[in-house]
Amino acid sequence: MPTLIVHARGDKIAPIEAGRYFAQQIPKARLLELDSADHWPYFGDADQVIGEVQEFLTGVRSGPAPETMLATVLCTNVTQAGAHAVWLGDKRWNHLVDRHHAVVRKALARYSGREIEAGEDGVTAVFDGTARAIRCALDVRDELLDLGLRIRAGLHAGECEIHGGRPRGVALQVASAVMAAAQPGEVLVSGTVKDLVVGSGLEFADRGSRGFAGVPGSWSLYAAGPEQPGRVDQPVQAAAPASLSRREREVAQLLSRGLSNREIAGRLYLSERTVDNHVHHILDKLGFDSRVQVATWLARNEHVS
């Protein structure tokens, strides 16, 4: 019969030579030499011995149950981050990223959130309170608008496996997928999140259901809180939509999508120099000094024809 022999090399009661003798004399025997001095295997060698015996008897070895936590995951993304970087240049964009991170981290501290990852285009964080996570996302969204940044945010709640002190797993994937489905300026949550905050006073608008690649089932989605306010603390207040000509509005629309002056010229069949003049006129009329501000202003006035 197949036989497993377990023996500690430093065993003072039964020398290792005894175990080796058994392994030689018993057909099909396998010797496991433990690198310890324990005679009784249920002391320091217990986990290793149990694992070896389980694999010997069943052919498989089960690992320890993973450490998990129930958390609400928040994922954010700066819309048109790449276009902002191009418009502003590295130095000014990096400064804006630093200010973005400062706003987010201040809000996380206020709402007891834990930062998991932060990059140029957004952050991932976890909370042990779902309502606090939603309110944090709404505050971050509104405060970043003052910097000329619009974000989309997604939240989902579920079990997260802890690996290396950091959560990971399906809950983070779902939160990221929910975020990707959000419109600019929208805080989108899964139905799980909405159900967890019944009675909190938070408002939600139904955004239907959809499936996510790699995640089974259909997920109900809801927009949290009031729509993003058109709060303006910059010279935008002095600018009325009617102050731009029809052609300038066309240029501004393409500019807000991240197109360069050369690309805009190709779209509108104009010379690049003419587009340059239009861009300068737009900035002068609106009282802005960057394309980022134009894009933000346009987003706030999308309802104006």
Side-chain angles (χ1 to χ4, degrees):
M1 296 295 294
T3 304
L4 174 66
I5 302 168
V6 182
H7 206 129
R9 292 192 186 96
D11 192 330
K12 303 299 183 183
I13 299 176
I16 186 63
E17 287 76 16
R20 292 169 180 169
Y21 174 80
F22 288 144
Q24 293 171 356
Q25 301 301 316
I26 301 175
K28 299 183 180 179
R30 182 168 72 87
L31 173 63
L32 171 64
E33 295 189 10
L34 302 176
D35 189 17
S36 76
D38 287 335
H39 178 68
W40 306 110
Y42 41 77
F43 288 116
D45 300 324
D47 289 341
Q48 183 180 3
V49 172
I50 289 172
E52 291 289 344
V53 171
Q54 182 184 33
E55 184 175 359
F56 176 74
L57 294 174
T58 67
V60 295
R61 182 190 306 212
S62 61
E67 181 185 357
T68 62
M69 65 178 290
L70 179 62
T72 299
V73 183
L74 165 65
C75 294
T76 71
N77 175 262
V78 176
T79 60
Q80 297 187 348
H84 288 334
V86 172
W87 293 337
L88 295 174
D90 288 343
K91 184 176 181 179
R92 294 179 65 192
W93 170 242
N94 290 334
H95 176 66
L96 189 58
V97 169
D98 290 340
R99 295 179 67 191
H100 165 277
H101 288 356
V103 167
V104 173
R105 286 164 181 160
K106 183 178 179 181
L108 290 178
R110 186 163 63 247
Y111 289 98
S112 301
R114 175 185 170 194
E115 179 183 316
I116 300 303
E117 185 176 8
E120 288 190 357
D121 56 356
V123 299
T124 300
V126 294
F127 298 77
D128 59 9
T130 304
R132 282 189 283 104
I134 297 172
R135 292 190 171 97
C136 180
L138 292 170
D139 281 4
V140 166
R141 177 197 68 174
D142 295 343
E143 290 173 23
L144 287 178
L145 186 61
D146 293 336
L147 299 182
L149 297 175
R150 294 190 90 191
I151 68 166
R152 50 169 60 91
L155 294 104
H156 177 64
E159 285 282 342
C160 299
E161 179 182 338
I162 307 302
H163 180 76
R166 297 165 63 89
R168 66 180 186 180
V170 176
L172 275 77
Q173 298 175 25
V174 174
S176 179
V178 172
M179 178 269 294
Q183 296 298 314
E186 190 172 55
V187 175
L188 205 62
V189 308
S190 68
T192 304
V193 168
K194 176 179 176 292
D195 293 342
L196 286 173
V197 295
V198 172
S200 66
L202 289 164
E203 303 174 6
F204 297 94
D206 193 344
R207 291 291 187 262
S209 301
R210 64 180 299 170
F212 300 132
V215 181
S218 179
W219 298 81
S220 298
L221 301 178
Y222 300 86
E227 293 184 1
Q228 189 161 36
R231 190 174 68 240
V232 182
D233 300 322
Q234 302 178 40
V236 177
Q237 290 177 329
S243 64
L244 297 184
S245 68
R246 181 183 62 82
R247 178 62 80 184
E248 287 168 348
R249 291 186 192 178
E250 291 176 346
V251 172
Q253 286 281 358
L254 295 175
L255 183 153
S256 71
R257 298 175 190 171
L259 273 66
S260 66
N261 288 4
R262 177 173 298 179
E263 292 170 329
I264 294 173
R267 290 283 188 93
L268 299 180
Y269 303 100
L270 300 173
S271 70
E272 190 172 348
R273 183 178 183 82
T274 299
V275 173
D276 289 342
N277 289 334
H278 280 312
V279 171
H280 283 299
H281 291 160
I282 291 169
L283 293 175
D284 289 340
K285 287 184 177 182
L286 298 179
F288 295 158
D289 58 7
S290 79
R291 294 174 176 234
V292 176
Q293 291 172 299
V294 175
T296 303
W297 172 84
L298 195 64
R300 290 168 174 164
N301 293 275
E302 288 171 338
H303 63 283
V304 181
S305 60

